[in-house]
Amino acid sequence: MIAALSALALAASGGLVCDGPALQGGFVVCATPAEAGEYDILVNGEAKTETVDGYAFVPFYRDVTGTVTIAAKAKNGGQPALEPASVEIEEREFDIQRIDGLPPSKVEPRSPEEQAKVEADWLKKQETWKHRADGVWWLEGFRYPLGEEFIQSGVYGSQRVLNGEPKNPHHGIDYAAPAGEPILAPAAGEVILAEPDMYFEGGLVVIDHGQGVMGLFMHMSEIGVKEGDIVEPGQPVGKVGSTGRSTGPHLHWGLRVRGEYIDPELALAFKPKESELLAR
């Protein structure tokens, strides 16, 4: 977490206040004074997002280290300057996960047809990532995406080795739930992608929870929503399956925030509305 004394000092001086799990793979929620209006948010001097209703979600990927400076730049030049917030990122250790027995075509596409499918899916996702829903549903926090508690079979940040070949880090949580188990929206949002047959992800639903805070639900056997739907927390969006690159029934839940994947476990634990520091 950001140091409480530092955040309290910022609050007292009318600065930008941030609170949240400031870890690798974590995030902070930043708030401006209620009367200040809206701001562009800069992370280490680079524009990343903007406040909506005075709040902004700032993610930290698994490789971020050191101190991050978060500043608020007045939009249209009308608002007063705010003191920036400094956040020290806590480092973590990530596991190595080995998965053997996958069909070779799911580790490295071989045929021209398979490669064409991978490329078409990639282009579809690039368009999806550009979406920005108007709401800030993420501000209410996230809930567990299944009706019952299931064992985690994969954790965020782990390095996957598929059939002996190192791949990209795991960008979400896997729950070893049985096929057909209902998948529930962990927060309200707009469905911006609902595809039953992605090459790697299988049945894939993407929900924009606001400001580009996107939930991804993979390997689904059934999809129960369509693009453009507004879902509520706890609403069924589909069912657990083993489609795409999968060795058995499970749910992969990821959180992608404007290009940076964060740990959904940390999002489950932190409720912005319960933070005394962020109360405006």
Side-chain angles (χ1 to χ4, degrees), residues 102-118 162-163 165 167 199-200:
L102 287 169
S105 64
K106 293 299 183 181
V107 177
E108 188 67 39
R110 302 297 182 184
S111 72
E113 292 78 13
E114 289 168 340
Q115 188 59 40
K117 171 62 172 170
V118 170
L162 305 181
N163 290 358
E165 182 178 343
K167 291 295 181 179
Y199 185 86
F200 291 112

Side-chain angles (χ1 to χ4, degrees), residues 16-227:
L16 185 67
V17 179
C18 300
D19 193 14
L23 313 171
Q24 291 177 323
F27 62 93
V28 291
V29 174
C30 297
T32 60
E35 70 282 358
E38 305 295 1
Y39 284 78
D40 290 318
I41 298 298
L42 290 74
V43 179
N44 289 339
E46 183 179 352
K48 290 293 186 179
T49 186
E50 59 186 22
T51 60
V52 175
D53 296 336
Y55 293 95
F57 192 111
V58 180
F60 307 121
Y61 188 54
R62 69 190 290 277
D63 60 358
V64 174
T65 59
T67 300
V68 173
T69 300
I70 304 173
K73 181 181 178 181
K75 297 177 72 69
N76 302 321
Q79 299 93 326
L82 298 179
E83 183 179 349
S86 292
V87 180
E88 185 70 27
I89 305 301
E90 182 178 339
E91 296 187 14
R92 302 167 65 183
E93 292 186 4
F94 297 104
D95 295 332
I96 299 295
Q97 185 180 31
R98 300 181 184 277
I99 301 178
D100 296 314
L102 287 169
S105 64
K106 293 299 183 181
V107 177
E108 188 67 39
R110 302 297 182 184
S111 72
E113 292 78 13
E114 289 168 340
Q115 188 59 40
K117 171 62 172 170
V118 170
E119 292 174 359
D121 288 352
W122 184 86
L123 291 172
K124 188 173 296 183
K125 287 182 286 188
Q126 299 319 297
E127 288 301 311
T128 300
W129 306 148
K130 296 176 184 178
H131 191 275
R132 297 290 182 270
D134 293 334
V136 282
W137 297 290
W138 57 263
L139 192 59
E140 300 296 329
F142 292 86
R143 52 160 289 170
Y144 187 70
L146 297 166
E148 299 180 28
E149 293 287 335
F150 292 97
I151 294 173
Q152 289 187 14
S153 55
V155 297
Y156 171 87
S158 60
Q159 180 73 43
R160 283 189 157 183
V161 181
L162 305 181
N163 290 358
E165 182 178 343
K167 291 295 181 179
N168 291 330
H170 191 226
H171 285 147
I173 299 175
D174 289 341
Y175 296 105
E181 178 72 21
I183 299 169
L184 312 177
E190 178 183 352
V191 177
I192 57 175
L193 187 66
E195 287 288 340
D197 188 29
M198 302 290 279
Y199 185 86
F200 291 112
E201 299 89 351
L204 171 64
V205 166
V206 180
I207 300 174
D208 190 339
H209 300 294
Q211 287 186 304
V213 180
M214 298 180 181
L216 291 75
F217 309 87
M218 302 181 187
H219 310 302
M220 299 167 70
S221 61
E222 295 181 29
I223 292 176
V225 291
K226 63 183 184 301
E227 293 173 20

